[in-house]
Amino acid sequence: MTHGTTRHQGFVLWFTGLSGAGKSTLAERLTKEFQSRGYRVELLDGDEVRTHLSKGLGFSKEDRDTNVRRIGWVARVLARNGVIAITAAISPYRDIRDEIRRETEQAGTPFVEVYASAPIDVVTQRDVKGLYKKALAGELPQFTGVTDPYEPPSHPEVTALTGHQSVEESVAELLQYLSGQGLIE
């Protein structure tokens, strides 16, 4: 369900980064900020999408690509209908993120890629689920950033240095960028 009533252009705000880099935290904070301004906004969180839209997919490259393409399609549909579509999924492969960008922009919808950048030691420390520990011990195959690749974006619109920036600093940087592009007031 979208929230808000203020008229604005829809766009896709695509967060990418390692597990624990802060994608969901920033996406949730921006969602609340946009809602408080009366914007129509929807958050597509990677874990929720896997539960509801991509149930049954594994973690092979093909399954990850399928999951990301589904997220991209839903985000495009929302954005073309005037919703700010925020995605927060690892989306580890650059070629698929670039494909989603091309398709979104070809549809006349702005696409803003945000790289939540945090070093492996920081995300390992933040790991409340113990996934990095398991992956580093060889117990979790195909774990992004450890036993499976993560390809950082070549030219993200914004790089949030979440390894040392506060959430507030990263959110302020994102809001400034979006305002400067005329996507928000």
Side-chain angles (χ1 to χ4, degrees):
M1 180 174 170
T2 57
H3 304 279
T5 56
T6 301
R7 303 263 320 142
H8 59 87
Q9 176 184 14
F11 62 92
V12 173
L13 186 58
W14 192 280
F15 284 89
T16 181
L18 292 172
S19 178
K23 298 176 303 300
S24 293
T25 300
L26 293 176
E28 289 166 6
R29 186 70 62 89
L30 281 171
T31 298
K32 288 177 184 169
E33 175 67 25
F34 293 150
Q35 288 170 343
S36 75
R37 295 178 182 203
Y39 293 159
R40 297 176 64 212
V41 59
E42 192 66 46
L43 172 58
L44 301 170
D45 183 74
D47 290 339
E48 286 186 23
V49 169
R50 273 204 172 266
T51 300
H52 301 289
L53 185 63
S54 295
K55 190 173 184 169
L57 289 180
F59 291 92
S60 67
K61 181 173 185 334
E62 182 180 351
D63 282 357
R64 288 174 193 253
D65 290 350
T66 297
N67 184 51
V68 171
R69 283 185 177 111
R70 288 177 182 175
I71 294 169
W73 182 82
V74 172
R76 267 195 312 281
V77 169
L78 289 167
R80 80 174 179 218
N81 285 287
V83 176
I84 299 170
I86 302 175
T87 72
I90 294 169
S91 52
Y93 304 111
R94 188 180 304 119
D95 61 333
I96 299 302
R97 290 192 311 267
D98 290 347
E99 173 187 311
I100 302 301
R101 173 191 292 275
R102 270 190 314 278
E103 291 172 355
T104 302
E105 291 175 345
Q106 285 171 356
T109 302
F111 183 95
V112 177
E113 187 173 41
V114 179
Y115 176 34
S117 175
I120 194 82
D121 60 321
V122 171
V123 295
T124 302
Q125 290 170 3
R126 292 179 181 168
D127 182 23
V128 293
K129 297 177 188 172
L131 299 175
Y132 281 99
K133 184 177 178 182
K134 288 180 182 178
L136 290 166
E139 298 170 20
L140 270 183
Q142 298 173 309
F143 189 78
T144 303
V146 178
T147 54
D148 220 40
Y150 175 78
E151 301 168 354
S154 300
H155 304 289
E157 281 71 19
V158 178
T159 298
L161 300 173
T162 59
H164 67 269
Q165 262 182 339
S166 71
V167 172
E168 292 74 22
E169 289 170 323
S170 294
V171 166
E173 182 181 2
L174 285 161
L175 291 172
Q176 182 177 6
Y177 175 83
L178 295 170
S179 176
Q181 296 299 306
L183 294 170
I184 62 169
E185 293 176 8

